[in-house]
């Protein structure tokens, strides 16, 4: 459980850091590869929307609030 909680915390912080570095272009999406002990995934964000990509599956966020998407991604990655 602690592993999943740490994973979700890192994901949420990563999304906020990416969102702060997007600049003025609202429609431009920026993607970043990330990894943890459960595997590798990609985080893509624009100024208004974020999503996680893992193993061909997309985990969209509700705007930039990614807590629920991070939980779903964590469950998928860490239970395989």
């Amino acid at each position: 459980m602690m592993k999943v909680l740490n994973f979700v915390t890192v994901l949420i912080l990563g999304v906020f850091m990416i969102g702060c570095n997007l600049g003025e272009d609202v429609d431009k999406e920026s993607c970043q590869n990330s990894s943890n002990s459960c595997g590798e995934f990609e985080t893509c964000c624009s100024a208004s929307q974020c999503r996680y990509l893992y193993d061909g599956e997309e985990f969209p966020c509700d705007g930039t609030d990614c807590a629920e998407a991070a939980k779903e991604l964590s469950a998928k990655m860490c239970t395989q």
Side-chain angles (χ1 to χ4, degrees), residues 50-76:
C50 290
R51 60 194 174 110
Y52 298 119
L53 303 170
Y54 173 72
D55 196 27
E57 194 170 341
E58 182 176 312
F59 299 86
C61 300
D62 180 17
T64 56
D65 177 6
C66 295
E68 197 61 37
K71 288 179 190 176
E72 291 174 21
L73 175 63
S74 178
K76 171 82 173 186

Side-chain angles (χ1 to χ4, degrees), residues 18-19 21-31 44-51 64:
I18 290 169
N21 293 323
L22 288 176
E24 298 177 9
D25 193 351
V26 174
D27 294 329
K28 185 176 179 183
E29 184 176 71
S30 175
C31 295
C44 297
C45 289
S46 68
S48 61
Q49 189 72 29
C50 290
R51 60 194 174 110
T64 56

